[in-house]
Amino acid sequence: MEMINAIGRRKASVARVYLTKGNGKITVNGRDWKDYFPQAHIQYKIVDPFNTVEVENIYDLKVNVKGGGFKGQAEAVRMAISRALIKLNEDFRKPLKEKKYLTRDARVVERKKYGKPKARKSFQFSKR
């Protein structure tokens, strides 16, 4: 098996994943993934595609992720891993699609409008 690559996006984050045969080592931007994502609920998002299709500790991952915050980055990585697993084996599509890991969540922050302090918030109205 050669290297399989895939891209995942979420909010302002873009993740590129390179999947190879190995023993479950995951590196994110040159660091160990548990150092890069120290929160347990975020770590769960990263390994959940592997748990869903029951292929833990079989593949090594090299991840490049940039943009956005840690939550958006983690969800971008999750989508990229899911896409790479489908390239590996088409049978993985059904369980990953049921958990909605293949759906691009296109919600992004609404832009700020002029004459308002935020996107929709208004200044206090004074009648007199």
Side-chain angles (χ1 to χ4, degrees), residues 48-123:
D48 200 38
F50 292 119
N51 297 337
T52 303
V53 295
E54 296 160 2
V55 291
E56 304 92 357
N57 302 326
I58 299 175
Y59 301 106
D60 284 348
L61 272 180
K62 183 176 173 281
V63 180
N64 292 329
V65 63
K66 64 178 184 178
F70 61 88
K71 186 167 189 234
Q73 285 187 351
E75 292 183 11
V77 170
R78 180 176 71 186
M79 181 184 198
I81 291 170
S82 300
R83 286 179 168 178
L85 287 171
I86 285 174
K87 284 184 183 177
L88 185 71
N89 186 350
E90 195 63 36
D91 297 335
F92 293 159
R93 177 177 283 279
K94 192 170 188 300
L96 291 170
K97 198 167 175 76
E98 283 173 0
K99 285 198 166 185
K100 295 191 169 69
Y101 291 165
L102 302 173
T103 306
R104 163 73 160 107
D105 192 349
R107 294 176 295 172
V108 293
V109 177
E110 190 175 340
R111 80 172 196 86
K112 182 195 175 299
K113 278 71 167 193
Y114 56 87
K116 295 195 175 254
K118 291 166 66 177
R120 297 193 178 195
K121 186 177 184 178
S122 298
F123 293 110

Side-chain angles (χ1 to χ4, degrees), residues 4 7 9-10 17 21-23 35 37 42 46 48 57 60 65 68 72 74 82 103 108-109 117 120 125:
I4 293 174
I7 293 179
R9 293 184 182 91
R10 171 74 170 103
V17 165
K21 201 81 160 164
N23 54 3
D35 294 336
F37 296 111
I42 299 294
I46 298 215
D48 200 38
N57 302 326
D60 284 348
V65 63
S82 300
T103 306
V108 293
V109 177
R120 297 193 178 195
F125 178 72

